Amino acid sequence: MKRTIGAVAAAAAGALALPAAAGAHVTIQPTQAQAGSSTVLAVRVPNERDDASTVKVDVRLPPGFVSASWEAVPGWKVRAVKQKLSQPIRTDDGPIDEQIGEIVWTASSKSAGVQPGEFRDFPLSVVVPGKAGQTLTFKALQTYSNGDVVRWIGAPGADEPAPQVKLTAASSTATQPRQSGSSQAQAQAPAAVADDDSSNGLSIVALVIGALGLLIGVVALVMARRGPATRP
């Protein structure tokens, strides 16, 4: 009986530990991005060790990232490794014959690394390649201050899965405000002309009424002057 209770307790403890372990993986945030969009992807690195800090993060980018810029992380140096493309990409600014194949962050010291219980984001500003429905895989190597290296290169569901980003279709809502604004401007243009015409018409009517009033006043004045002269 005691053995049964111990086995059940151990299984329960293991089940509770699974979500924590799953949440400690190296990931790319967000896990979804619009294909062809210019956005920021952050390499999120948690520390899974109790006795060592993370001092190096090596990320292999999937094909198609022709450029990337990174946010400065205090206490860390960054190095980008470029690769030659087998087939240049044609652009309006000319052909591009290389891509960013790898980005490496290295802590300047053990104390500057990601400490036990901590995580750190390493942001990258990129243009997301690929098409909607595809999944981009970013293989990563995490090096600890004690020399251990965790290879985040496995398939989904593995003990050490590679970070992935699922590509979605570009949203059409981004262009709707401009279109509706243009349509609204076009719709308002005739109204503005109509308002101007109405204003001009009212001005003319006011001038006519004013002129009539002045004429009536002059006639009344003349009649008033003639009145006393014609009395017997």
Side-chain angles (χ1 to χ4, degrees):
M1 184 67 178
K2 291 183 178 180
R3 291 182 179 179
T4 303
I5 295 175
V8 172
L16 292 174
L18 286 177
H25 294 339
V26 171
T27 59
I28 302 293
Q29 298 296 326
T31 57
Q32 291 187 348
Q34 293 181 5
S37 66
S38 177
T39 188
V40 174
L41 298 178
V43 182
R44 178 161 295 176
V45 181
N47 193 321
E48 296 181 310
R49 299 289 191 271
D50 295 330
D51 57 352
S53 60
T54 297
V55 294
K56 185 178 180 181
V57 179
D58 186 338
V59 178
R60 314 291 171 87
L61 274 62
F65 286 89
V66 296
S67 64
S69 57
W70 45 86
E71 182 177 324
V73 178
W76 289 75
K77 298 179 181 179
V78 61
R79 176 174 59 92
V81 179
K82 296 183 178 181
Q83 298 174 342
K84 284 290 183 180
L85 292 172
S86 57
Q87 183 176 356
I89 300 175
R90 302 292 177 181
T91 68
D92 295 338
D93 298 328
I96 298 176
D97 59 356
E98 60 183 13
Q99 65 181 359
I100 306 296
E102 180 182 359
I103 297 182
V104 182
W105 288 269
T106 305
S108 58
S109 64
K110 180 180 178 180
S111 60
V114 186
Q115 302 299 316
E118 297 180 350
F119 77 90
R120 186 158 298 170
D121 284 345
F122 298 88
L124 291 173
S125 177
V126 296
V127 175
V128 181
K131 299 179 180 179
Q134 293 180 338
T135 299
L136 301 181
T137 299
F138 299 75
K139 295 183 178 181
L141 304 180
Q142 180 180 11
T143 302
Y144 286 91
S145 56
N146 61 3
D148 289 349
V149 177
V150 181
R151 302 171 62 84
W152 301 99
I153 61 175
D159 292 338
E160 298 172 356
Q164 291 187 330
V165 174
K166 185 177 181 180
L167 301 187
T168 62
S171 175
S172 60
T173 56
T175 58
Q176 286 181 357
R178 294 183 180 180
Q179 294 175 353
S180 62
S182 176
S183 300
Q184 185 178 4
Q186 293 176 359
Q188 288 178 348
V193 174
D195 290 342
D196 291 342
D197 292 341
S198 300
S199 299
N200 292 335
L202 291 175
S203 299
I204 294 173
V205 171
L207 289 174
V208 171
I209 293 175
L212 288 176
L214 180 62
L215 180 61
I216 293 173
V218 171
V219 171
L221 180 62
V222 172
M223 293 296 294
R225 290 181 178 181
R226 287 182 179 181
T230 55
R231 292 178 184 178

